Amino acid sequence: MPGSKGERLFTKISGAFGKIGKKLIYRCLLLYFAYRRKATPRWAKGIILGALGYFISIIDFIPDIIPGLGYTDDFFMIALAISALSYYINDEVRAQAREKMNKWFPPPDGNTENISGNSNYSLSSRNSMQ
């Protein structure tokens, strides 16, 4: 992802902390870091760009300003992309996403395992052999 689009993604994510859940942010980061993997094929990168592009777009099926519903379509698109591309989300990608989450959401007790490891932000490790 070129620098400017990556920066737009991070700007949108950081500005939406109060509006969307950490799970959505974590999943966006999984897609972003999966995109950056050299082993991820072009067709998968296209799906990632579409999902993240939809997330940062101002045009939505459900406008983001609607309380309680605004980000449901974004969440659905990201979840759909994650399920389609879970093969390309390996332990390295999860570690990079957890590291960014720990930076943005430092645990109050300083224990980074709260956000990484077995937290509810993690996805299954079914493809940890990659």
Side-chain angles (χ1 to χ4, degrees), residues 61-74:
F61 291 120
I62 302 172
D64 293 341
I65 59 171
I66 297 174
L69 294 175
Y71 284 96
T72 56
D73 58 329
D74 298 274

Side-chain angles (χ1 to χ4, degrees), residues 92-112:
E92 179 185 350
V93 168
R94 284 189 285 278
Q96 291 171 322
R98 285 192 304 265
E99 182 180 332
K100 187 62 94 169
M101 289 294 292
N102 286 329
K103 183 178 178 183
W104 286 344
F105 301 102
D109 60 3
N111 182 1
T112 59

Side-chain angles (χ1 to χ4, degrees), residues 57-125:
S57 173
I58 59 171
I59 299 170
D60 280 341
F61 291 120
I62 302 172
D64 293 341
I65 59 171
I66 297 174
L69 294 175
Y71 284 96
T72 56
D73 58 329
D74 298 274
F75 192 85
F76 175 75
M77 290 296 197
I78 297 297
L80 190 62
I82 292 270
S83 66
L85 304 172
S86 63
Y87 181 79
Y88 302 103
I89 300 172
N90 64 4
D91 288 338
E92 179 185 350
V93 168
R94 284 189 285 278
Q96 291 171 322
R98 285 192 304 265
E99 182 180 332
K100 187 62 94 169
M101 289 294 292
N102 286 329
K103 183 178 178 183
W104 286 344
F105 301 102
D109 60 3
N111 182 1
T112 59
E113 284 301 311
N114 289 344
I115 290 179
S116 61
N118 296 322
S119 80
N120 56 353
Y121 303 121
S122 298
L123 297 175
S124 69
S125 298

Side-chain angles (χ1 to χ4, degrees), residues 19-60:
K19 296 178 184 174
I20 59 176
K22 293 177 185 175
K23 286 184 181 184
L24 178 57
I25 294 167
Y26 178 72
R27 284 170 171 83
C28 287
L29 290 171
L30 287 174
L31 289 175
Y32 175 78
F33 288 115
Y35 179 90
R36 296 190 56 176
R37 283 186 67 211
K38 291 182 190 229
T40 303
R42 287 182 127 198
W43 66 266
K45 289 182 178 192
I47 292 172
I48 292 169
L49 285 177
L52 293 178
Y54 184 84
F55 176 69
I56 63 175
S57 173
I58 59 171
I59 299 170
D60 280 341

